[in-house]
Amino acid sequence: MTYGNPAGAERGPHPRHALAPLLGSAVRLSVVAALAPVQKAEFGYVRDLVEITDSALSKQVSRLEEAGWVTVEKGQVGRRPRTWLALTEEGLARYRRHLAALTAIAGADGPGHGAARD
């Protein structure tokens, strides 16, 4: 079975063009996904949730911070130093666009879905 663009049908660009290359890393995607539903999260919480080391999280957060997608706030709770992470508005918007693109790529409306497989 072949698929094509029916005569006269308008098609936009493939949804893959909306993917954020920075979120191609499963770890960075996981970090952003952990931060998306909250205003901010403590570094240790994100580290444990994503199941990575301090140094690995620090490296990935640095990349996201350089892109302007994450902010890092340092402070103290009692005498203990703490670091909080938060998505910026841009980071949240890029994450949502990335998820929408993944959904569109994998969605039931795409070629091959619902068709018989050999």
Side-chain angles (χ1 to χ4, degrees):
M1 178 180 274
T2 59
Y3 294 92
N5 192 11
E10 290 290 323
R11 266 183 44 184
H14 192 278
R16 77 176 180 281
H17 298 295
L19 291 172
L22 193 58
L23 297 180
S25 158
V27 172
R28 280 192 296 272
L29 178 60
S30 298
V31 169
V32 172
L35 294 174
V38 298
Q39 279 193 322
K40 66 181 179 178
E42 203 269 322
F43 184 94
Y45 171 79
V46 176
R47 176 201 60 217
D48 294 346
L49 186 65
V50 179
E51 299 179 349
I52 57 176
T53 64
D54 284 352
S55 62
L57 179 56
S58 182
K59 180 179 177 182
Q60 300 309 322
V61 166
S62 291
R63 296 276 313 270
L64 293 164
E65 187 178 26
E66 287 169 11
W69 295 11
V70 168
T71 60
V72 178
E73 178 187 332
K74 295 192 180 268
Q76 290 194 294
V77 174
R79 294 182 180 199
R80 303 190 98 155
R82 291 284 187 258
T83 302
W84 292 274
L85 309 173
L87 277 183
T88 63
E89 286 184 31
E90 179 184 357
L92 183 58
R94 294 298 301 264
Y95 171 67
R96 287 179 175 162
R97 192 172 338 151
H98 188 81
L99 286 182
L102 288 172
T103 301
I105 291 167
D109 295 338
H113 291 277
R117 300 185 106 183
D118 293 326

